[in-house]
Amino acid sequence: MKIGIDIGGSHIGIGLIEGSQIVAVKEKNFNREDRKNMEQTIIFCIQEIIDELLIESHLTIEEVELIGIAAPGTISNGVIVKAGNLGLHNFQILTQLQKIYKTPMQMRNDGKCAALAEKVYGAMKDYEDCVFINIGTGIGGAAFLGGKLLEPKRYSGFEFGHMVLNKGGRFCSCGKYGCFEAYSSIKALKNKVTETLDVDSDISGQYLREELLTKEDSRVQEDIEVFLEYLKTGIGNLIDIFEPEVVCLGGSFAYYEGNPIFDQLLKKLHEPTTSFNNGDLPKIVMANFKNNAGIIGAVIE
Ligand SMILES: [Zn+2]
């Protein structure tokens, strides 16, 4: 048995994993109070949820062979160097967890973990050249060429969300202006739509999808249009760089499968202005494991 931990921008999810199967899973959303001391919140949540999972599954920590962590932002040697969405800087997470657990641990960027889960077990398993784009609180991802995950020596790299699509545009949590994720993350869409409708932005992804985005309000439709235009541009750029056989869309955006917004995106992607090869697109698929991809991928060695 392994334990996979996914630290997202808005919640933490932890699962007991056997192969590609999640045997049990629990999650906790961060509230405003939790965000005041994010480091403490993360360590406390991990301990609390692991305890609950083990008790409910009649397991002991000694029966766990690996704890894998999918962490946001830039990771280096067990340290979260920078995670803008959570306001973390040089968080020595592995050192702190090793004081609590003697179990072997590994940590990777969350976009890469989710990508590995889809590559090894999920929507990208039949392809060698793949781009995975995680669209959630932020936008992250990974790329495989010839079946191999591309991993730089310095920082995590593949910060797809921080390629600038609108120079001097919206401010991004990374400190730059006009980043892809400032327009096309689910958080950016939520912020824009709740601002347009003048409602509290503290809402669930499901409420956003099913209640707010379905409103027949021309201002909301315009917000969706801006979100999709940037999404198309970002995906088009990545297709031109990597020329993958498949592009897999994950994160909370995976819940838009079957939603008119996904159909609108596919239509836009097929316009001849999307990519260098004039609309000769790779396959565009949604992630099989949806938001659980990070938990599963965290324990892939
Ligand atoms: Zn940015």
Side-chain angles (χ1 to χ4, degrees), residues 161-162 172-176 179 181:
H162 302 288
C172 177
S173 66
C174 75
K176 303 198 293 181
C179 291
E181 76 171 40

Side-chain angles (χ1 to χ4, degrees), residues 21-266:
Q21 301 299 314
I22 297 186
V23 181
V25 67
K26 277 182 188 286
E27 58 176 55
K28 184 187 185 303
N29 288 318
F30 302 135
N31 59 34
R32 288 194 178 112
E33 195 59 32
D34 292 333
R35 290 181 183 278
K36 287 182 184 160
N37 189 341
M38 220 46 237
E39 291 195 10
Q40 194 185 307
T41 295
I42 289 170
I43 298 292
F44 183 75
C45 281
I46 290 176
Q47 260 188 294
E48 190 179 52
I49 300 177
I50 288 182
D51 281 351
E52 288 174 14
L53 282 171
L54 290 176
I55 290 169
E56 287 169 22
S57 307
H58 307 288
L59 288 167
T60 63
I61 191 72
E62 286 73 28
E63 289 169 86
V64 176
E65 57 195 278
L66 177 74
I67 297 177
I69 303 162
T74 299
I75 315 298
S76 183
N77 293 322
V79 177
I80 301 177
V81 179
K82 176 181 173 182
N85 277 320
L86 292 174
L88 296 171
H89 290 277
N90 292 319
F91 176 22
Q92 312 271 339
I93 180 169
L94 231 49
T95 310
Q96 292 202 32
L97 288 175
Q98 278 160 348
K99 285 181 191 152
I100 305 167
Y101 303 105
K102 301 286 168 253
T103 318
M105 286 184 204
Q106 65 178 28
M107 181 164 77
R108 249 197 210 101
N109 168 270
D110 52 359
K112 291 204 175 73
C113 289
L116 275 169
E118 296 297 336
K119 178 73 183 79
V120 177
Y121 305 114
M124 307 192 295
K125 77 173 187 312
D126 296 329
Y127 303 91
E128 293 210 323
D129 298 345
C130 319
V131 166
F132 178 79
I133 311 176
N134 206 64
I135 306 163
T137 310
I139 296 182
F144 298 80
L145 289 177
K148 192 177 177 301
L149 175 67
L150 303 179
E151 286 192 284
K153 285 196 178 53
R154 269 162 45 91
Y155 295 115
S156 306
F158 296 85
E159 294 289 359
F160 294 158
H162 302 288
M163 63 178 160
V164 175
L165 297 188
N166 182 15
K167 193 169 182 299
R170 282 185 203 165
F171 183 68
C172 177
S173 66
C174 75
K176 303 198 293 181
Y177 290 85
C179 291
F180 184 17
E181 76 171 40
Y183 294 90
S184 293
S185 63
I186 297 298
K187 186 183 171 190
L189 179 63
K190 181 168 82 176
N191 287 347
K192 196 74 193 69
V193 171
T194 52
E195 187 192 300
T196 296
L197 295 171
D198 196 20
V199 295
D200 188 2
S201 64
D202 214 359
I203 52 164
S204 71
Q206 189 178 4
Y207 186 77
L208 172 73
R209 213 163 50 241
E210 293 174 6
E211 300 290 334
L212 301 188
L213 297 179
T214 52
K215 282 198 189 310
E216 285 188 16
D217 179 314
S218 62
R219 297 166 309 160
V220 171
Q221 295 309 315
E222 203 171 298
D223 290 342
I224 294 172
E225 178 64 20
V226 171
F227 164 81
L228 288 172
E229 266 303 312
Y230 279 96
L231 196 50
K232 168 200 147 160
T233 307
I235 294 171
N237 286 349
L238 293 170
I239 290 172
D240 285 341
I241 293 168
F242 295 102
E243 206 50 71
E245 300 166 273
V246 63
V247 173
C248 179
L249 306 176
S252 44
F253 188 68
Y255 293 98
Y256 284 74
E257 190 158 25
N259 183 298
I261 290 179
F262 182 51
D263 297 334
Q264 272 172 267
L265 174 67
L266 287 179

